[in-house]
Amino acid sequence: MPELPEVETVVRDLRPMLVGRRIARVLRTSKVSLRTPWRGAWGPRLVGRAVTEVSRRGKWLSVRLDDGSYLLAHLGMTGQMVVAPASEPRQTHTHFVLSLNDGATELRFRDPRRFGSLEWLADEAALRARFEESGLGPEPFGVRPSYWREALLGTSRAIKAVLLDQSVVAGVGNIYADEALFRARIHPARRSTALSPREMEALRRAVEAVLTDAISRRGSTIRDYIGGSGLRGGYQDEFAVYGRGGLPCPRCGAAIISARVGGRSSHFCPACQPEGAVRTG
DNA sequence: ATAGGCGCCTGCTGGC
DNA sequence: TGCCAGCAGGCGCCTA
């Protein structure tokens, strides 16, 4: 669920509430184990540590501690990371809780579907190795056009699948892939190698623009997503195509198509995003 | 080697 | 009203 704009929003929300605070207590509040278990004995490693930094890389969220170690979280489809008053009842599927030394708040990790993960890494080298292991590509902002072109020419897949490939560019998920393809007027099923240089460049810029706009609206809430302070996103109100099958295209009025491309539901305008002839305008 | 498909989970929706 | 299939923002693993 959470794609780059959602994770970025969580990071921005959490930062002022976490940086400078110390971890007073670590609680495992759910009996289920996460799909990727916490690596190592987490209790002793965290208690007493202060948070020095909260950041994002692709869809990963990291919390740096004052001994140089990191808590690394991936929110999967339904993961939430929220700082809440300790007095507030915890929701179901809250798996881990870090009590903070202000005595009043706690960081909660909640994840109904449990596709998310939470792990501890000893230092920055281990963090980088973890990103390497997951095949994480560059951040989508300021991608070099030459890199982009080579990445798109280096695979025979549909462009939609290429956008979802985190090793090509980190952070784009199903929503923003569809929205970026719409902005660039490219049909999701077209082979990435079939795009003209102009289209490739339009798409590179569309990805940046869509993600930037979504961040400014605090991401998109379809169902589960909330920011680090519990607020919902607002970008779902600006979707041009995602989840809008059968509704009119905001640009030309044609009915938006909903179809499976590369195993994922995809939404596009059949008029603005033609599958056949490459438009070379 | 690459690309596609499946499985992991829970919860909600829509059709019968 | 109730049941059940299908589907959901992700990703890693397996197979052809």
Side-chain angles (χ1 to χ4, degrees):
Chain A
M1 159 248 153
E3 306 180 28
L4 186 151
E6 289 76 32
V7 180
E8 179 64 26
T9 302
V10 172
V11 164
R12 291 181 185 185
D13 286 351
L14 292 184
R15 195 172 281 141
M17 297 189 286
L18 287 184
V19 171
R21 295 274 156 75
R22 274 181 200 284
I23 297 167
R25 228 164 30 127
V26 180
L27 293 168
R28 186 182 172 207
T29 50
S30 145
K31 289 190 177 67
V32 299
S33 64
L34 294 172
R35 190 151 159 275
T36 303
W38 197 301
R39 299 180 176 184
W42 39 275
R45 282 174 173 159
L46 301 184
V47 173
R49 298 267 68 86
V51 173
T52 58
E53 200 180 310
V54 182
S55 34
R56 179 196 60 73
R57 176 79 171 83
K59 300 174 192 172
W60 295 91
L61 180 156
S62 67
V63 177
R64 187 183 183 276
L65 304 175
D66 61 358
D67 62 350
S69 68
Y70 289 86
L71 266 182
L72 180 66
H74 196 293
L75 303 180
M77 292 276 262
T78 55
Q80 302 174 346
M81 259 313 188
V82 178
V83 169
S87 57
E88 197 173 281
R90 294 180 194 127
Q91 289 185 274
T92 54
H93 307 296
T94 299
H95 304 302
F96 285 97
V97 174
L98 303 185
S99 301
L100 303 175
N101 70 334
D102 61 0
T105 62
E106 56 189 30
L107 176 66
R108 299 172 176 177
F109 179 62
R110 174 173 188 261
D111 185 15
R113 284 178 75 181
R114 285 187 275 141
F115 289 171
S117 64
L118 200 53
E119 51 198 295
W120 177 87
L121 297 160
D123 53 28
E124 201 185 331
L127 182 74
R128 276 202 298 264
R130 184 68 184 82
F131 289 150
E132 190 76 19
E133 176 192 333
S134 81
L136 197 61
E139 287 292 305
F141 304 105
V143 168
R144 290 207 330 274
S146 59
Y147 166 86
W148 186 245
R149 242 190 115 169
E150 280 176 36
L152 267 51
L153 290 172
T155 176
S156 65
R157 287 174 293 174
I159 186 61
K160 171 74 183 276
V162 177
L163 287 178
L164 294 176
D165 183 343
Q166 301 299 296
S167 73
V168 170
V169 69
V172 178
N174 207 33
I175 292 176
Y176 301 111
D178 281 1
E179 293 296 316
L181 287 166
F182 172 77
R183 283 204 199 194
R185 305 187 184 225
I186 296 168
H187 190 288
R190 286 179 57 202
R191 305 289 113 181
S192 66
T193 47
L195 302 193
S196 70
R198 261 189 126 82
E199 288 175 318
M200 290 184 182
E201 181 60 9
L203 183 57
R204 191 186 65 80
R205 290 171 191 239
V207 167
E208 280 194 357
V210 162
L211 295 176
T212 301
D213 287 355
I215 289 170
S216 74
R217 295 286 257 113
R218 299 181 47 84
S220 307
T221 297
I222 309 287
R223 176 169 300 152
D224 299 287
Y225 166 72
I226 51 173
S229 51
L231 285 161
R232 293 163 52 88
Y235 193 70
Q236 67 281 357
D237 297 335
E238 293 179 30
F239 289 165
V241 289
Y242 186 83
R244 299 192 66 248
L247 297 172
C249 166
R251 193 190 281 137
C252 77
I256 300 296
I257 303 280
S258 189
R260 289 197 94 72
V261 177
R264 306 294 300 275
S265 71
S266 298
H267 315 78
F268 57 92
C269 171
C272 298
Q273 299 166 265
E275 177 161 24
V278 176
R279 162 194 309 239
T280 52

